[in-house]
Amino acid sequence: MALDPQAREELTAATALVEHALARVRLGGLLRLVRLADEHPTLRQPVVHVLGAYLRSPAATGSQRQVRADRDARRELLRTLREHLTDPDAPTTWCGLDVDLSRCELAGDLSGIVVTAGTVRLDSVRVPAGRTLDVRDVRVTGGALSMTRLEVAGRLDATGLAVDGGEACVDGLVVTGHGRVTLDGARLADGCLWLRDGSIGTGTLSLRGVHVTGGHLSLHETRVSGGEVRLDDLAVDGGNVHVSAATVESGALRMDDLRVAAGLVSLTMTHVEDGRMSLDGARVEGGAVRFEGLAVDRRADVSWGPFDPVEPLPGPERTGRRDLDLRGPAPVDRWAWLRHEPADHDVTTPARPPRQDVPSRTGRAAS
């Protein structure tokens, strides 16, 4: 990178401060790097990497004063990141750069950021109980917002998320305790919003009032085991919504006041074991709602709204709709999409990456 001698000298001095033992001195060095990046665009991506590395590093331990100074430094750096990511047209914008805040404990304000290219990573972030990570009104117009394998015991607020190109990925979400993940009022016009393979324990995943006009929204293989998934007032005017192969062991899946004017809503292969599923007030004005292979146990409490109910069979066997083979669905090849073009049936949703070699939380390879 071509820097004049004065800028190079400032860069060297700021870098030395970043390694200081005191948090307030480190912060001073980091903010000097930010000022240099504002003046020299070639420094922006390297400086963003340095800020991300600091925020990913373990929080300070020791005296109360040291812990407070480190916490204040992290809060200031997160504020600086947010300021540089909210206006793609600003002369000092960082929109379009790669930002990595993965694998750390994180709470604070990242609301209103705009993802135009590159990847903003919040993978494997932990939101502790009593804390909030604010990502309200985030816009994804290209690139990716990656929040895979989040562990939320506090609150993740993504109200008003808008995806119009690119993708927002929240695969592998785990909600525990009284945790709450909110995507109420999200807008999907193009691109993808993935929430596959989630595990909703005693907390809540809320997508109330989501409006889909294109692209893919998928909760494929979500497991509800005591918590609640809310899709009330979902409006589909195009695109595809997949709630396929989900399992409601206990807790609730609510899709009250669903409105479908165009596109597809699919609950194929979903299994309601001992919880509640509700479709009260649903309206289908166009498009399609599909239930192929949906299974309901006798313990389940299902309110079908305007749809014909699935009659449960006695015992543990899964049941299909009355116009299907009641012996249950045929085995599903989860990776068939890798070998041929995906059909509109959504047992596997499009663009699913191979995961055979990704270790699960128990240390075993994911199947």
Side-chain angles (χ1 to χ4, degrees):
M1 59 190 76
L3 296 176
D4 59 73
Q6 182 180 355
R8 193 178 300 277
E9 184 178 337
E10 290 181 15
L11 178 62
T12 301
T15 303
L17 293 176
V18 171
E19 299 176 356
H20 199 278
L22 294 178
R24 66 175 183 274
V25 179
R26 293 196 298 269
L27 176 61
L30 290 164
L31 294 180
R32 286 179 68 175
L33 287 177
V34 171
R35 287 193 293 272
L36 280 170
D38 287 345
E39 298 168 1
H40 302 278
T42 55
L43 287 176
R44 289 175 187 173
Q45 185 64 77
V47 167
V48 169
H49 285 326
V50 171
L51 266 60
Y54 187 94
L55 289 166
R56 295 195 308 272
S57 66
T61 57
S63 69
Q64 186 176 3
R65 182 177 180 180
Q66 290 172 318
V67 170
R68 183 169 56 250
D70 180 67
R71 184 174 62 244
D72 291 345
R74 291 170 186 273
R75 185 182 298 116
E76 179 64 19
L77 292 179
L78 200 64
R79 184 192 65 79
T80 300
L81 267 175
R82 177 182 175 274
E83 285 183 351
H84 284 79
L85 290 170
T86 52
D87 184 0
D89 298 321
T92 57
T93 186
W94 293 349
C95 294
L97 299 181
D98 292 324
V99 179
D100 188 358
L101 300 178
S102 56
R103 299 179 301 281
C104 66
E105 187 174 288
L106 189 63
D109 185 6
L110 284 171
S111 62
I113 68 172
V114 182
V115 183
T116 59
T119 302
V120 175
R121 295 189 180 279
L122 299 168
D123 302 318
S124 299
V125 159
R126 301 177 302 281
V127 183
R131 306 288 299 280
T132 298
L133 178 58
D134 184 353
V135 285
R136 290 174 298 167
D137 301 317
V138 169
R139 287 190 293 135
V140 182
T141 61
L145 172 64
S146 182
M147 300 193 291
T148 62
R149 301 180 299 279
L150 291 175
E151 297 183 12
V152 181
R155 185 180 182 196
L156 174 72
D157 189 352
T159 301
L161 171 69
V163 182
D164 188 7
E167 69 172 19
C169 185
V170 198
D171 286 346
L173 171 68
V174 176
V175 184
T176 61
H178 297 290
R180 184 177 183 88
V181 175
T182 304
L183 291 99
D184 294 349
R187 298 291 181 265
L188 178 61
D190 191 14
C192 303
L193 173 54
W194 303 126
L195 291 117
R196 300 166 295 193
D197 302 318
S199 177
I200 315 302
T202 53
T204 301
L205 170 61
S206 179
L207 294 102
R208 297 183 181 186
V210 170
H211 189 193
V212 180
T213 57
H216 294 275
L217 166 62
S218 178
L219 285 81
H220 182 72
E221 290 190 339
T222 292
R223 181 175 295 273
V224 185
S225 53
E228 190 172 48
V229 174
R230 303 296 302 258
L231 284 157
D232 311 75
D233 299 304
L234 171 65
V236 183
D237 291 308
N240 300 287
V241 177
H242 309 280
V243 193
S244 52
T247 303
V248 183
E249 296 176 349
S250 58
L253 169 61
R254 298 183 182 276
M255 300 179 70
D256 297 330
D257 299 311
L258 166 71
R259 182 182 64 80
V260 183
L264 170 70
V265 174
S266 175
L267 289 97
T268 58
M269 305 292 289
T270 286
H271 187 190
V272 186
E273 296 180 1
D274 193 14
R276 174 169 176 77
M277 184 174 77
S278 176
L279 290 155
D280 288 336
R283 291 176 294 150
V284 181
E285 301 161 358
V289 177
R290 298 177 61 173
F291 295 91
E292 289 91 338
L294 183 138
V296 178
D297 288 359
R298 287 196 174 277
R299 300 185 304 273
D301 178 13
V302 180
S303 181
W304 293 100
F307 303 106
D308 292 335
V310 170
E311 297 296 335
L313 292 177
E317 297 89 347
R318 294 177 61 140
T319 178
R321 290 181 64 81
R322 285 173 290 185
D323 57 346
L324 296 179
D325 186 348
L326 291 181
R327 292 172 297 180
V332 176
D333 181 357
R334 296 178 60 194
W335 309 111
W337 69 274
L338 291 171
R339 293 182 287 277
H340 55 74
E341 290 297 317
D344 61 352
H345 190 281
D346 61 312
V347 172
T348 53
T349 51
R352 186 183 183 86
R355 298 182 56 202
Q356 294 94 324
D357 298 329
V358 178
S360 69
R361 293 184 183 83
T362 60
R364 297 173 296 187
S367 58

